[in-house]
């Protein structure tokens, strides 16, 4: 991409990026879920946004968790995603879902 006018980074305050959470077990809840197409438009995934509930520096941090449920190139990828979805269902206690919103706002522990 070519800019129409030069961009001078000294004129704009840089964004600060929060470091990722340390690898640990966290109390979380799924705060949002959304089906999205893959970048190449050949498949799709379910994104489950895990919100950290533990007090401390990561409170309310959203960690996206993507399940590649639709992949025409790799059936193994789809099988892995469905096993991961099954694990989410088990930890939330919701075993028969018609809508991913059924998984929202149920606290559980996840390793992030």
């Amino acid at each position: 991409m070519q800019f129409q006018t030069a961009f001078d980074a000294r004129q704009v305050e840089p964004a600060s990026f929060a470091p990722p959470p340390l690898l640990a077990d966290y109390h979380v809840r799924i705060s949002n879920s959304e089906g999205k197409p893959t970048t190449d438009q050949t498949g799709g995934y379910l994104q489950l946004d895990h919100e950290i509930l533990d007090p401390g520096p990561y409170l309310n941090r959203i960690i996206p968790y993507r399940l590649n449920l639709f992949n025409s190139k790799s059936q193994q990828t789809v099988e892995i995603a469905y096993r991961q979805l099954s694990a989410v269902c088990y930890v939330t206690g919701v075993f028969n879902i018609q809508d991913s919103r059924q998984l929202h706002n149920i606290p559980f522990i996840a390793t992030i």
Side-chain angles (χ1 to χ4, degrees):
M1 176 178 133
Q2 186 172 359
F3 292 95
Q4 290 183 359
T5 60
F7 173 75
D8 185 350
R10 296 169 295 187
Q11 302 299 316
V12 178
E13 183 176 343
S16 62
F17 296 97
L22 300 173
L23 179 63
D25 290 340
Y26 295 92
H27 291 87
V28 299
R29 70 180 179 98
I30 296 171
S31 59
N32 189 42
S33 59
E34 181 178 2
K36 297 183 178 188
T38 55
T39 304
D40 65 4
Q41 303 293 317
T42 62
Y45 60 93
L46 172 63
Q47 179 169 312
L48 301 173
D49 290 338
H50 289 60
E51 179 182 352
I52 296 177
L53 303 174
D54 293 317
Y58 306 120
L59 177 65
N60 299 325
R61 175 82 62 91
I62 302 296
I63 308 296
Y65 185 57
R66 295 181 179 105
L67 303 173
N68 195 344
L69 298 174
F70 313 103
N71 187 319
S72 60
K73 297 177 184 175
S74 172
Q75 184 58 34
Q76 182 179 12
T77 299
V78 173
E79 290 170 6
I80 291 168
Y82 272 101
R83 288 199 308 269
Q84 293 169 326
L85 179 58
S86 177
V88 170
C89 289
Y90 270 87
V91 297
T92 59
V94 181
F95 297 102
N96 189 349
I97 61 172
Q98 296 291 315
D99 188 317
S100 61
R101 290 178 290 187
Q102 290 173 256
L103 302 170
H104 291 196
N105 301 312
I106 301 170
F108 61 95
I109 296 174
T111 301
I112 297 177

